Amino acid sequence: MKSLAELKKVQEKNRSAIILPEGGNEIRIVVGMATCGIAAGARPVFDALEAGIKENALGKQVSLIQTGCVGVCQYEPVIEIYQAGKERVTYVKMTAEKAAKVLEQHIMGGKVVEEYTITYAQNGGKAPADGKVHTSLTETDFCKTQLRQALRNCGLINPESIDEYIAMDGYKALGKALTEMTPDQVIETVLASGLRGRGGAGFPTGMKWKFASGNRGNVQKYVCCNADEGDPGAFMDRSVLEGDPHAVVEAMAIAGYAIGADQGYVYVRAEYPVAVKRLQIAIDQAKKYGLLGKNIFGTDFSFDLDIRLGAGAFVCGEETALMTSIEGKRGEPRPRPPFPAIKGLFASPTILNNVETYANIPQIILNGAEWFSSVGTEKSKGTKVFALGGKIKNTGLVEVPMGTTLRHIIEEIGGGIPNGKKFKAAQTGGPSGGCIPAHLIDTQIDYDNLIAIGSMMGSGGLIVMDEDTCMVDLARFFLDFTVDESCGKCTPCRVGTRRLLEILDKIISGNGEMEDLDRLEELATYIKSASLCGLGQTAPNPVLSTMRYFRDEYIAHIVDKKCPAGVCKKLIRYEIDPEKCIGCGMCAKNCPASTIVRTDYTAPGHKLASMKIEQANCVKCGACMTNCKFGAITKG
């Protein structure tokens, strides 16, 4: 592809396949085939539709494509149907049998199968009380207030088709950068947009590029992409790579032009096989079209791209450790300075951004810095993608403007806390972040606000917790993860985090002392100030933030020897009320440790003697309480 004119021809040829023309009778069936969809059973659904289309000779009228994740993960597998002049229809929780019925009644019969739509699913499988069935996902509370920019093509286009990406203005930004802008103008546009890195601390992207831009053409430089998404509960980058890989390819080529690099590497975790496959397909297609390689768009700019697989080490999410791993060495961080923009991969100037950061670049170049900066807050521009999970009704991918309140995300988009429970806290930033307590639910989420309350944005994991969550146990969970994932290079992280974990273990086992709280804070402060890399420096954050907002829970574990949430097993005590126990023995029959015996006491009005739990051998499994139908067993 030697010119923008050629690109435009491909765009015009394929655009109507995605944006159906008015009055046409073509039907486009889109099946969510990201990792979440495939795991939920999307492959048999796709195969059933494919077989039905072939059997009924519908190939000329109906196109069937695979796509990425539309964001409603709990409703997978998802089918969406597009037809000119009609509302988009979203079918959820599909099976092969349901897909066959949709093909027969909707595609061939022209009647929407309402009981399979998103509206019915969100209403417990029943018709809405007002009788209004909005068949489109975009009409749901989950989607109405989202603003999809980084995820703009996910769930819409076929991620394995470069033509469909081009149809949605793909590679147009690269063409504009190479033919209408100087490298410095590209950097100034990214700077003016206010885009900050979406993978961690939020460093200004344009500033990073500017640092690496000197001596273009005289020094070997590299562009790297961090797709080693390691935070528990985070899957934003995976979804972009699975749903819109060409956006990352195009953005990295633009970054290469801006700083004067001719080689890029995408470092992606090997546990993402679908993402790796689609990214490789995208790279191969871009090379075939001349959008990677020599003299792109007929200019003197050349850029190539390769994939490097990570082995699942959390520390390789740190930029210098990632680059060390690409070099074929053990993934360990390096002291800074010098920073990677001066001395990075193979000791050459290197820029590293994460997937979501790159996904915004083509739209910034295409639409301008003001377009991007018009969304968000004063210091945090644009949108942010969150992986919403935990104790929340609507789990999945959420993209909202920076500055959106936590309350809006949880109550409006997330649908609130299930089972009538109360919201207790939200964890952002994974093991490097901190918790946001219920009284701060109206906090506007941006980089600076989160840091001010003891948390951080991180890559975008957002885990919601209800009243049944023990915050001491939560801190222990993240510390256990950090201890496991420490590379061991520096003593503060290698030894310090393990000492923190030992103190937490002591507290949740009922052996804690009040002095342990001072020890936790002192040790956490030392680890933050003395660790070599950002991961070690932020490792104590879950401990410090839970102690800051939920110190009373720590004290209850230490002084009262009780876990207020009833989570920490060694502090749980199950008791049988002899006045309520009818002596049926169901608790004893279901006790795996055989610790429940019959007493000599028979409550008034009952025929059988009551039961009791021998506490010394109780394994705290709760099976007795689950199987008691008379409310005679309490947990305290």
Side-chain angles (χ1 to χ4, degrees), residues 83 144 165 188 194 283 297 398 430-431 439 441 447 451 459 467 509 520 544 566 596 623 631:
Q83 191 169 8
K144 278 192 293 189
Y165 178 70
E188 287 304 317
I283 291 172
F297 282 113
V398 173
H439 73 272
I441 193 172
Y447 292 102
I451 291 173
S459 59
E467 59 196 87
S509 66
L520 283 174
L544 291 174
I596 302 178

Side-chain angles (χ1 to χ4, degrees), residues 431-573:
S432 301
C435 66
I436 306 172
H439 73 272
L440 294 176
I441 193 172
D442 291 309
T443 298
Q444 289 186 312
I445 297 181
D446 65 17
Y447 292 102
D448 302 299
N449 284 341
L450 289 183
I451 291 173
I453 61 175
S455 187
M456 66 181 294
M457 188 77 72
S459 59
L462 180 56
I463 301 174
V464 180
M465 292 158 278
D466 67 11
E467 59 196 87
D468 293 335
T469 303
C470 172
M471 304 310 290
V472 184
D473 181 66
L474 177 80
R476 190 211 172 278
F477 168 80
F478 283 116
L479 227 351
D480 184 55
F481 178 86
T482 305
V483 168
D484 243 11
E485 294 292 339
S486 173
C487 73
K489 186 172 184 178
C490 73
T491 303
C493 178
R494 182 183 70 249
V495 178
T497 56
R498 187 166 293 279
R499 296 293 85 82
L500 281 178
L501 182 60
E502 289 171 356
I503 296 173
L504 289 176
D505 280 333
K506 180 183 174 185
I507 292 172
I508 66 173
S509 66
N511 298 313
E513 304 168 320
M514 287 301 293
E515 292 79 7
D516 288 329
L517 300 183
D518 294 330
R519 295 186 187 107
L520 283 174
E521 290 181 327
E522 182 181 6
L523 188 53
T525 302
Y526 176 75
I527 295 169
K528 285 177 70 71
S529 63
S531 291
L532 174 62
C533 77
L535 296 182
Q537 292 159 13
T538 56
N541 283 353
V543 177
L544 291 174
S545 66
T546 53
M547 288 183 67
R548 176 178 178 181
Y549 297 116
F550 298 95
R551 196 178 188 90
D552 58 323
E553 290 197 24
Y554 281 85
I555 294 173
H557 282 68
I558 295 170
V559 177
D560 301 330
K561 306 301 180 186
K562 285 187 177 182
C563 174
V567 171
C568 300
K569 282 190 173 183
K570 292 186 178 180
L571 299 180
I572 295 173
R573 185 181 178 90

Side-chain angles (χ1 to χ4, degrees), residues 269-333:
R269 54 195 302 113
E271 297 95 328
Y272 284 176
V274 177
V276 172
K277 174 191 171 188
R278 290 180 181 168
L279 180 60
Q280 188 61 62
I281 289 172
I283 291 172
D284 293 342
Q285 290 175 340
K287 288 179 179 179
K288 183 178 179 180
Y289 271 46
L291 297 168
L292 286 177
K294 301 290 184 182
N295 306 115
I296 301 171
F297 282 113
T299 68
D300 59 359
F301 173 66
S302 299
F303 188 78
D304 209 348
L305 199 57
D306 289 300
I307 298 173
R308 291 293 181 268
L309 299 183
F314 181 65
V315 73
C316 287
E318 195 276 336
E319 59 180 1
T320 60
L322 183 151
M323 293 174 195
T324 305
S325 182
I326 291 178
E327 294 170 357
K329 304 168 188 173
R330 177 184 171 91
E332 293 179 333

